[in-house]
Short mmCIF file of all heavy atoms in Angstrom, two decimals:
data_model
loop_
_atom_site.label_atom_id
_atom_site.label_comp_id
_atom_site.label_asym_id
_atom_site.label_seq_id
_atom_site.Cartn_x
_atom_site.Cartn_y
_atom_site.Cartn_z
N MET A 7 95.63 85.05 75.36
CA MET A 7 95.79 85.06 76.80
C MET A 7 95.97 86.50 77.28
O MET A 7 96.79 87.24 76.78
CB MET A 7 97.02 84.22 77.15
CG MET A 7 97.26 84.11 78.62
SD MET A 7 98.51 82.84 78.92
CE MET A 7 99.59 83.74 79.97
N SER A 8 95.16 86.89 78.25
CA SER A 8 95.27 88.26 78.77
C SER A 8 96.19 88.29 80.00
O SER A 8 96.36 87.30 80.69
CB SER A 8 93.89 88.79 79.13
OG SER A 8 93.32 88.00 80.16
N ASN A 9 96.76 89.44 80.23
CA ASN A 9 97.67 89.62 81.36
C ASN A 9 96.90 89.85 82.65
O ASN A 9 95.86 90.50 82.64
CB ASN A 9 98.59 90.82 81.13
CG ASN A 9 99.54 90.60 79.99
OD1 ASN A 9 99.94 89.48 79.73
ND2 ASN A 9 99.92 91.66 79.31
N ILE A 10 97.43 89.34 83.74
CA ILE A 10 96.89 89.63 85.06
C ILE A 10 97.46 90.95 85.55
O ILE A 10 96.76 91.75 86.17
CB ILE A 10 97.22 88.49 86.05
CG1 ILE A 10 96.50 87.22 85.63
CG2 ILE A 10 96.86 88.88 87.46
CD1 ILE A 10 96.91 86.01 86.42
N ALA A 11 98.72 91.17 85.28
CA ALA A 11 99.38 92.40 85.73
C ALA A 11 100.44 92.80 84.71
O ALA A 11 100.98 91.96 84.00
CB ALA A 11 100.03 92.18 87.09
N SER A 12 100.71 94.10 84.66
CA SER A 12 101.77 94.64 83.82
C SER A 12 102.66 95.52 84.69
O SER A 12 102.16 96.32 85.48
CB SER A 12 101.19 95.48 82.69
OG SER A 12 100.41 94.69 81.83
N VAL A 13 103.96 95.33 84.52
CA VAL A 13 104.94 96.14 85.24
C VAL A 13 105.91 96.68 84.22
O VAL A 13 106.41 95.94 83.37
CB VAL A 13 105.71 95.29 86.28
CG1 VAL A 13 106.77 96.12 86.98
CG2 VAL A 13 104.76 94.67 87.29
N HIS A 14 106.15 97.99 84.28
CA HIS A 14 107.18 98.56 83.41
C HIS A 14 107.79 99.78 84.09
O HIS A 14 107.26 100.26 85.09
CB HIS A 14 106.64 98.91 82.02
CG HIS A 14 105.60 99.98 82.00
ND1 HIS A 14 104.26 99.73 82.16
CD2 HIS A 14 105.72 101.32 81.86
CE1 HIS A 14 103.58 100.87 82.10
NE2 HIS A 14 104.44 101.84 81.93
N ARG A 15 108.89 100.20 83.55
CA ARG A 15 109.56 101.38 84.09
C ARG A 15 109.02 102.62 83.39
O ARG A 15 108.86 102.66 82.18
CB ARG A 15 111.07 101.27 83.83
CG ARG A 15 111.82 102.47 84.36
CD ARG A 15 113.30 102.32 84.17
NE ARG A 15 113.97 103.54 84.62
CZ ARG A 15 115.26 103.65 84.81
NH1 ARG A 15 116.04 102.62 84.57
NH2 ARG A 15 115.77 104.78 85.22
N PHE A 16 108.72 103.64 84.18
CA PHE A 16 108.37 104.95 83.64
C PHE A 16 109.32 105.96 84.27
O PHE A 16 109.18 106.32 85.44
CB PHE A 16 106.91 105.31 83.95
CG PHE A 16 106.51 106.63 83.37
CD1 PHE A 16 106.21 106.74 82.02
CD2 PHE A 16 106.48 107.76 84.16
CE1 PHE A 16 105.85 107.96 81.47
CE2 PHE A 16 106.13 108.99 83.62
CZ PHE A 16 105.81 109.09 82.28
N MET A 17 110.31 106.34 83.53
CA MET A 17 111.38 107.22 84.01
C MET A 17 111.97 106.63 85.29
O MET A 17 112.52 105.55 85.25
CB MET A 17 110.87 108.65 84.14
CG MET A 17 110.46 109.17 82.77
SD MET A 17 109.68 110.77 82.56
CE MET A 17 110.10 111.82 83.84
N GLY A 18 111.83 107.30 86.44
CA GLY A 18 112.40 106.81 87.69
C GLY A 18 111.42 106.06 88.56
O GLY A 18 111.70 105.79 89.72
N ASP A 19 110.26 105.73 88.02
CA ASP A 19 109.22 105.05 88.78
C ASP A 19 108.95 103.66 88.22
O ASP A 19 109.33 103.33 87.10
CB ASP A 19 107.90 105.84 88.74
CG ASP A 19 107.98 107.17 89.48
OD1 ASP A 19 108.77 107.28 90.43
OD2 ASP A 19 107.24 108.09 89.10
N VAL A 20 108.26 102.85 89.01
CA VAL A 20 107.77 101.55 88.57
C VAL A 20 106.28 101.71 88.30
O VAL A 20 105.53 102.14 89.18
CB VAL A 20 108.00 100.48 89.66
CG1 VAL A 20 107.40 99.15 89.22
CG2 VAL A 20 109.48 100.33 89.97
N ALA A 21 105.87 101.43 87.09
CA ALA A 21 104.45 101.54 86.71
C ALA A 21 103.81 100.15 86.85
O ALA A 21 104.33 99.17 86.32
CB ALA A 21 104.32 102.05 85.29
N LEU A 22 102.68 100.08 87.55
CA LEU A 22 102.02 98.82 87.83
C LEU A 22 100.54 98.92 87.49
O LEU A 22 99.87 99.85 87.92
CB LEU A 22 102.19 98.47 89.32
CG LEU A 22 101.41 97.29 89.87
CD1 LEU A 22 101.89 95.99 89.22
CD2 LEU A 22 101.55 97.23 91.38
N SER A 23 100.06 97.97 86.72
CA SER A 23 98.65 97.88 86.39
C SER A 23 98.21 96.45 86.67
O SER A 23 98.85 95.49 86.23
CB SER A 23 98.41 98.22 84.92
OG SER A 23 97.04 98.05 84.59
N ILE A 24 97.12 96.30 87.42
CA ILE A 24 96.63 94.97 87.77
C ILE A 24 95.21 94.81 87.24
O ILE A 24 94.35 95.67 87.46
CB ILE A 24 96.65 94.75 89.30
CG1 ILE A 24 98.09 94.84 89.81
CG2 ILE A 24 96.02 93.41 89.67
CD1 ILE A 24 98.24 94.72 91.29
N GLY A 25 94.99 93.72 86.53
CA GLY A 25 93.66 93.41 86.03
C GLY A 25 93.11 94.39 85.02
O GLY A 25 91.91 94.55 84.91
N GLY A 26 93.98 95.05 84.29
CA GLY A 26 93.53 96.00 83.28
C GLY A 26 93.00 97.30 83.86
O GLY A 26 92.37 98.09 83.16
N GLY A 27 93.27 97.54 85.13
CA GLY A 27 92.81 98.77 85.78
C GLY A 27 93.76 99.92 85.54
O GLY A 27 94.61 99.87 84.65
N GLU A 28 93.63 100.94 86.33
CA GLU A 28 94.49 102.11 86.16
C GLU A 28 95.94 101.77 86.50
O GLU A 28 96.21 100.83 87.24
CB GLU A 28 94.01 103.27 87.03
CG GLU A 28 94.30 103.10 88.51
CD GLU A 28 93.92 104.33 89.32
OE1 GLU A 28 94.69 105.32 89.31
OE2 GLU A 28 92.87 104.28 89.96
N THR A 29 96.84 102.53 85.96
CA THR A 29 98.26 102.35 86.24
C THR A 29 98.62 103.16 87.48
O THR A 29 98.23 104.31 87.62
CB THR A 29 99.12 102.82 85.04
OG1 THR A 29 98.75 102.01 83.91
CG2 THR A 29 100.60 102.66 85.32
N VAL A 30 99.36 102.53 88.38
CA VAL A 30 99.83 103.18 89.60
C VAL A 30 101.34 103.31 89.48
O VAL A 30 102.02 102.38 89.05
CB VAL A 30 99.46 102.33 90.84
CG1 VAL A 30 100.02 102.94 92.11
CG2 VAL A 30 97.96 102.15 90.94
N TYR A 31 101.87 104.46 89.84
CA TYR A 31 103.30 104.72 89.74
C TYR A 31 103.90 104.65 91.14
O TYR A 31 103.53 105.40 92.03
CB TYR A 31 103.55 106.09 89.11
CG TYR A 31 102.98 106.14 87.71
CD1 TYR A 31 101.67 106.55 87.49
CD2 TYR A 31 103.74 105.73 86.62
CE1 TYR A 31 101.13 106.56 86.21
CE2 TYR A 31 103.20 105.73 85.34
CZ TYR A 31 101.90 106.15 85.15
OH TYR A 31 101.37 106.15 83.88
N LEU A 32 104.83 103.71 91.31
CA LEU A 32 105.47 103.49 92.60
C LEU A 32 106.91 103.97 92.56
O LEU A 32 107.60 103.82 91.55
CB LEU A 32 105.47 101.99 92.93
CG LEU A 32 104.13 101.27 92.94
CD1 LEU A 32 104.35 99.78 93.11
CD2 LEU A 32 103.23 101.81 94.02
N SER A 33 107.36 104.49 93.69
CA SER A 33 108.79 104.80 93.81
C SER A 33 109.55 103.49 93.91
O SER A 33 108.96 102.42 94.13
CB SER A 33 109.03 105.64 95.07
OG SER A 33 108.82 104.84 96.23
N VAL A 34 110.84 103.55 93.79
CA VAL A 34 111.67 102.35 93.93
C VAL A 34 111.46 101.74 95.31
O VAL A 34 111.32 100.51 95.45
CB VAL A 34 113.15 102.69 93.67
CG1 VAL A 34 114.05 101.52 94.01
CG2 VAL A 34 113.35 103.14 92.23
N HIS A 35 111.39 102.56 96.33
CA HIS A 35 111.18 102.07 97.70
C HIS A 35 109.82 101.38 97.83
O HIS A 35 109.72 100.29 98.39
CB HIS A 35 111.30 103.21 98.71
CG HIS A 35 110.97 102.78 100.11
ND1 HIS A 35 111.82 101.99 100.86
CD2 HIS A 35 109.88 103.00 100.87
CE1 HIS A 35 111.27 101.77 102.04
NE2 HIS A 35 110.09 102.36 102.07
N GLN A 36 108.77 102.01 97.32
CA GLN A 36 107.44 101.41 97.39
C GLN A 36 107.39 100.07 96.65
O GLN A 36 106.79 99.11 97.13
CB GLN A 36 106.39 102.35 96.81
CG GLN A 36 106.12 103.57 97.65
CD GLN A 36 105.31 104.61 96.91
OE1 GLN A 36 105.52 104.85 95.72
NE2 GLN A 36 104.38 105.23 97.60
N ALA A 37 108.02 100.00 95.49
CA ALA A 37 108.05 98.76 94.72
C ALA A 37 108.81 97.67 95.47
O ALA A 37 108.41 96.50 95.45
CB ALA A 37 108.70 99.01 93.35
N SER A 38 109.86 98.04 96.17
CA SER A 38 110.62 97.08 96.95
C SER A 38 109.79 96.53 98.11
O SER A 38 109.80 95.32 98.39
CB SER A 38 111.90 97.73 97.47
OG SER A 38 112.64 96.83 98.24
N VAL A 39 109.06 97.41 98.79
CA VAL A 39 108.20 96.98 99.90
C VAL A 39 107.10 96.06 99.38
O VAL A 39 106.79 95.02 99.98
CB VAL A 39 107.59 98.21 100.64
CG1 VAL A 39 106.54 97.77 101.64
CG2 VAL A 39 108.69 99.01 101.33
N LEU A 40 106.49 96.42 98.24
CA LEU A 40 105.46 95.58 97.63
C LEU A 40 106.02 94.21 97.25
O LEU A 40 105.40 93.17 97.51
CB LEU A 40 104.86 96.28 96.41
CG LEU A 40 103.82 95.48 95.62
CD1 LEU A 40 102.63 95.10 96.49
CD2 LEU A 40 103.37 96.27 94.40
N SER A 41 107.19 94.20 96.64
CA SER A 41 107.82 92.95 96.23
C SER A 41 108.06 92.04 97.43
O SER A 41 107.78 90.84 97.39
CB SER A 41 109.15 93.26 95.53
OG SER A 41 109.87 92.09 95.28
N ASP A 42 108.56 92.60 98.51
CA ASP A 42 108.82 91.82 99.72
C ASP A 42 107.51 91.28 100.30
O ASP A 42 107.45 90.12 100.71
CB ASP A 42 109.55 92.69 100.75
CG ASP A 42 109.84 91.94 102.03
OD1 ASP A 42 110.58 90.94 101.97
OD2 ASP A 42 109.31 92.35 103.09
N ALA A 43 106.47 92.10 100.33
CA ALA A 43 105.18 91.67 100.87
C ALA A 43 104.59 90.52 100.05
O ALA A 43 104.09 89.53 100.61
CB ALA A 43 104.21 92.84 100.92
N LEU A 44 104.65 90.62 98.72
CA LEU A 44 104.14 89.56 97.86
C LEU A 44 104.91 88.26 98.07
O LEU A 44 104.32 87.17 98.16
CB LEU A 44 104.23 89.98 96.39
CG LEU A 44 103.25 91.06 95.94
CD1 LEU A 44 103.62 91.56 94.55
CD2 LEU A 44 101.82 90.54 95.97
N ALA A 45 106.22 88.36 98.17
CA ALA A 45 107.05 87.18 98.37
C ALA A 45 106.75 86.52 99.72
O ALA A 45 106.62 85.29 99.80
CB ALA A 45 108.53 87.54 98.26
N ARG A 46 106.63 87.31 100.77
CA ARG A 46 106.34 86.76 102.10
C ARG A 46 104.97 86.10 102.13
O ARG A 46 104.80 85.03 102.73
CB ARG A 46 106.44 87.86 103.16
CG ARG A 46 107.88 88.27 103.42
CD ARG A 46 108.04 89.42 104.42
NE ARG A 46 107.15 89.29 105.55
CZ ARG A 46 106.59 90.34 106.17
NH1 ARG A 46 106.83 91.56 105.76
NH2 ARG A 46 105.81 90.15 107.21
N CYS A 47 103.99 86.69 101.49
CA CYS A 47 102.65 86.12 101.43
C CYS A 47 102.66 84.81 100.65
O CYS A 47 102.06 83.81 101.06
CB CYS A 47 101.67 87.11 100.80
SG CYS A 47 99.95 86.57 100.84
N ALA A 48 103.36 84.79 99.53
CA ALA A 48 103.43 83.59 98.69
C ALA A 48 104.13 82.44 99.43
O ALA A 48 103.76 81.28 99.24
CB ALA A 48 104.16 83.90 97.39
N VAL A 49 105.10 82.74 100.27
CA VAL A 49 105.78 81.71 101.06
C VAL A 49 104.86 81.20 102.17
O VAL A 49 104.83 80.01 102.49
CB VAL A 49 107.10 82.25 101.65
CG1 VAL A 49 107.66 81.34 102.73
CG2 VAL A 49 108.13 82.46 100.55
N ASP A 50 104.07 82.09 102.76
CA ASP A 50 103.19 81.73 103.87
C ASP A 50 102.05 80.80 103.45
O ASP A 50 101.68 79.89 104.19
CB ASP A 50 102.59 83.00 104.49
CG ASP A 50 101.79 82.73 105.74
OD1 ASP A 50 102.39 82.28 106.74
OD2 ASP A 50 100.55 82.95 105.73
N ILE A 51 101.51 80.98 102.25
CA ILE A 51 100.33 80.22 101.82
C ILE A 51 100.53 78.71 101.83
O ILE A 51 99.74 77.99 102.44
CB ILE A 51 99.83 80.74 100.45
CG1 ILE A 51 99.23 82.13 100.63
CG2 ILE A 51 98.81 79.78 99.84
CD1 ILE A 51 98.90 82.85 99.34
N PRO A 52 101.58 78.16 101.20
CA PRO A 52 101.71 76.70 101.23
C PRO A 52 102.18 76.14 102.57
O PRO A 52 102.04 74.95 102.83
CB PRO A 52 102.73 76.41 100.13
CG PRO A 52 103.49 77.66 99.96
CD PRO A 52 102.56 78.77 100.32
N LYS A 53 102.75 76.98 103.43
CA LYS A 53 103.32 76.51 104.69
C LYS A 53 102.35 76.56 105.86
O LYS A 53 102.51 75.82 106.82
CB LYS A 53 104.55 77.35 105.05
CG LYS A 53 105.75 77.12 104.15
CD LYS A 53 106.88 78.08 104.43
CE LYS A 53 107.42 77.90 105.82
NZ LYS A 53 108.62 78.72 106.07
N THR A 54 101.35 77.45 105.79
CA THR A 54 100.51 77.72 106.95
C THR A 54 99.04 77.71 106.55
O THR A 54 98.66 78.36 105.58
CB THR A 54 100.86 79.11 107.55
OG1 THR A 54 102.27 79.20 107.71
CG2 THR A 54 100.20 79.33 108.88
N ALA A 55 98.22 77.04 107.34
CA ALA A 55 96.77 77.08 107.11
C ALA A 55 96.27 78.51 107.26
O ALA A 55 96.81 79.28 108.07
CB ALA A 55 96.05 76.17 108.09
N PHE A 56 95.25 78.87 106.52
CA PHE A 56 94.73 80.24 106.56
C PHE A 56 94.39 80.67 107.99
O PHE A 56 94.74 81.76 108.43
CB PHE A 56 93.50 80.37 105.66
CG PHE A 56 92.87 81.74 105.70
CD1 PHE A 56 93.47 82.81 105.07
CD2 PHE A 56 91.68 81.93 106.39
CE1 PHE A 56 92.89 84.07 105.11
CE2 PHE A 56 91.10 83.20 106.43
CZ PHE A 56 91.71 84.26 105.79
N THR A 57 93.73 79.80 108.73
CA THR A 57 93.29 80.15 110.09
C THR A 57 94.45 80.25 111.08
O THR A 57 94.31 80.86 112.14
CB THR A 57 92.27 79.13 110.61
OG1 THR A 57 92.83 77.81 110.48
CG2 THR A 57 90.97 79.20 109.81
N ALA A 58 95.61 79.67 110.75
CA ALA A 58 96.78 79.73 111.63
C ALA A 58 97.78 80.79 111.19
O ALA A 58 98.75 81.06 111.90
CB ALA A 58 97.46 78.36 111.67
N SER A 59 97.55 81.41 110.05
CA SER A 59 98.51 82.37 109.51
C SER A 59 98.57 83.64 110.34
O SER A 59 97.56 84.14 110.82
CB SER A 59 98.13 82.73 108.07
OG SER A 59 99.03 83.70 107.57
N LYS A 60 99.76 84.13 110.50
CA LYS A 60 99.99 85.41 111.19
C LYS A 60 100.24 86.53 110.18
O LYS A 60 100.58 87.65 110.56
CB LYS A 60 101.18 85.29 112.14
CG LYS A 60 101.05 84.21 113.17
CD LYS A 60 100.24 84.68 114.34
CE LYS A 60 100.35 83.70 115.49
NZ LYS A 60 99.13 82.97 115.75
N PHE A 61 100.12 86.20 108.89
CA PHE A 61 100.37 87.21 107.86
C PHE A 61 99.21 88.20 107.86
O PHE A 61 98.06 87.86 107.61
CB PHE A 61 100.49 86.56 106.48
CG PHE A 61 100.96 87.52 105.41
CD1 PHE A 61 102.31 87.72 105.20
CD2 PHE A 61 100.05 88.22 104.65
CE1 PHE A 61 102.75 88.62 104.24
CE2 PHE A 61 100.48 89.11 103.68
CZ PHE A 61 101.83 89.31 103.47
N GLY A 62 99.51 89.43 108.14
CA GLY A 62 98.48 90.47 108.21
C GLY A 62 98.49 91.34 106.97
O GLY A 62 99.10 91.01 105.96
N THR A 63 97.82 92.44 107.07
CA THR A 63 97.75 93.40 105.97
C THR A 63 98.99 94.28 105.99
O THR A 63 99.39 94.78 107.05
CB THR A 63 96.50 94.28 106.10
OG1 THR A 63 95.35 93.44 106.07
CG2 THR A 63 96.42 95.30 104.98
N ILE A 64 99.59 94.47 104.85
CA ILE A 64 100.74 95.37 104.71
C ILE A 64 100.29 96.53 103.85
O ILE A 64 99.88 96.34 102.70
CB ILE A 64 101.95 94.65 104.09
CG1 ILE A 64 102.39 93.51 105.02
CG2 ILE A 64 103.09 95.62 103.81
CD1 ILE A 64 103.45 92.62 104.45
N ASN A 65 100.32 97.73 104.40
CA ASN A 65 99.93 98.92 103.67
C ASN A 65 101.17 99.63 103.15
O ASN A 65 102.15 99.78 103.87
CB ASN A 65 99.13 99.87 104.57
CG ASN A 65 97.81 99.25 104.99
OD1 ASN A 65 97.01 98.87 104.15
ND2 ASN A 65 97.60 99.10 106.28
N ILE A 66 101.09 100.08 101.92
CA ILE A 66 102.19 100.83 101.32
C ILE A 66 101.69 102.24 101.11
O ILE A 66 100.81 102.49 100.28
CB ILE A 66 102.63 100.17 99.99
CG1 ILE A 66 103.08 98.73 100.27
CG2 ILE A 66 103.74 100.99 99.33
CD1 ILE A 66 103.30 97.90 99.05
N GLY A 67 102.23 103.17 101.87
CA GLY A 67 101.75 104.54 101.85
C GLY A 67 102.39 105.40 100.78
O GLY A 67 103.38 105.02 100.15
N LYS A 68 101.79 106.55 100.59
CA LYS A 68 102.35 107.54 99.67
C LYS A 68 103.58 108.16 100.31
O LYS A 68 103.69 108.27 101.52
CB LYS A 68 101.33 108.65 99.38
CG LYS A 68 100.16 108.17 98.57
CD LYS A 68 99.25 109.33 98.25
CE LYS A 68 98.10 108.87 97.39
NZ LYS A 68 97.22 109.98 97.03
N GLU A 69 104.50 108.58 99.47
CA GLU A 69 105.70 109.25 99.95
C GLU A 69 105.62 110.71 99.59
O GLU A 69 105.05 111.08 98.55
CB GLU A 69 106.94 108.64 99.28
CG GLU A 69 107.14 107.18 99.64
CD GLU A 69 108.30 106.57 98.88
OE1 GLU A 69 108.84 107.21 97.98
OE2 GLU A 69 108.64 105.43 99.19
N THR A 70 106.18 111.55 100.41
CA THR A 70 106.20 112.96 100.07
C THR A 70 107.19 113.19 98.95
O THR A 70 108.20 112.49 98.82
CB THR A 70 106.60 113.81 101.29
OG1 THR A 70 107.88 113.38 101.76
CG2 THR A 70 105.59 113.69 102.41
N GLY A 71 106.90 114.12 98.08
CA GLY A 71 107.78 114.43 96.98
C GLY A 71 107.66 113.46 95.83
O GLY A 71 108.50 113.46 94.94
N GLN A 72 106.64 112.64 95.82
CA GLN A 72 106.46 111.69 94.73
C GLN A 72 106.17 112.43 93.43
O GLN A 72 105.35 113.34 93.40
CB GLN A 72 105.30 110.75 95.08
CG GLN A 72 105.17 109.56 94.17
CD GLN A 72 104.13 108.58 94.70
OE1 GLN A 72 103.76 108.64 95.86
NE2 GLN A 72 103.66 107.71 93.85
N ARG A 73 106.85 112.04 92.35
CA ARG A 73 106.71 112.74 91.08
C ARG A 73 105.33 112.57 90.47
O ARG A 73 104.77 113.48 89.91
CB ARG A 73 107.77 112.26 90.11
CG ARG A 73 109.14 112.79 90.41
CD ARG A 73 110.14 112.36 89.36
NE ARG A 73 110.26 110.91 89.27
CZ ARG A 73 110.92 110.16 90.12
NH1 ARG A 73 111.51 110.71 91.16
NH2 ARG A 73 111.00 108.86 89.96
N ARG A 74 104.81 111.36 90.52
CA ARG A 74 103.51 111.07 89.90
C ARG A 74 102.64 110.39 90.94
O ARG A 74 103.11 109.65 91.76
CB ARG A 74 103.66 110.15 88.69
CG ARG A 74 104.37 110.80 87.54
CD ARG A 74 104.43 109.86 86.35
NE ARG A 74 103.12 109.40 85.95
CZ ARG A 74 102.38 109.93 84.98
NH1 ARG A 74 102.84 110.97 84.32
NH2 ARG A 74 101.21 109.45 84.67
N GLN A 75 101.36 110.64 90.88
CA GLN A 75 100.44 109.98 91.79
C GLN A 75 99.57 109.03 91.01
O GLN A 75 99.05 109.39 89.97
CB GLN A 75 99.60 111.00 92.54
CG GLN A 75 100.46 111.90 93.39
CD GLN A 75 99.68 112.67 94.41
OE1 GLN A 75 98.47 112.51 94.50
NE2 GLN A 75 100.34 113.49 95.17
N GLY A 76 99.44 107.79 91.51
CA GLY A 76 98.66 106.78 90.83
C GLY A 76 97.30 106.61 91.41
O GLY A 76 96.87 107.13 92.35
#
């Protein structure tokens, strides 16, 4: 069985790889925003028809002073 996603800690960052692609390094804040967005989307899907959903796109931007760029 292959993994869909891998998450691990790299020093002070969260390392994320999806679908065997490149690894992206997120700050703790970025990882928290991503986690919240995924949870909100997952709650919206069974409760709301796609055409009635108000769930939009959530963009997670780069932060200044980021140690590593993914």
Side-chain angles (χ1 to χ4, degrees):
M7 182 169 130
S8 63
N9 293 330
I10 294 172
S12 296
V13 177
H14 64 272
R15 180 177 177 168
F16 182 79
M17 297 175 25
D19 293 332
V20 176
L22 171 65
S23 176
I24 298 177
E28 74 175 282
T29 300
V30 176
Y31 299 89
L32 304 173
S33 69
V34 171
H35 175 73
Q36 289 168 320
S38 180
V39 172
L40 176 59
S41 173
D42 180 62
L44 289 170
R46 288 177 41 215
C47 186
V49 166
D50 186 65
I51 290 170
K53 290 173 63 173
T54 311
F56 177 74
T57 54
S59 177
K60 302 278 191 249
F61 189 87
T63 301
I64 297 173
N65 295 303
I66 301 169
K68 291 184 178 182
E69 297 175 352
T70 58
Q72 191 172 343
R73 285 184 300 283
R74 292 183 56 96
Q75 298 195 1

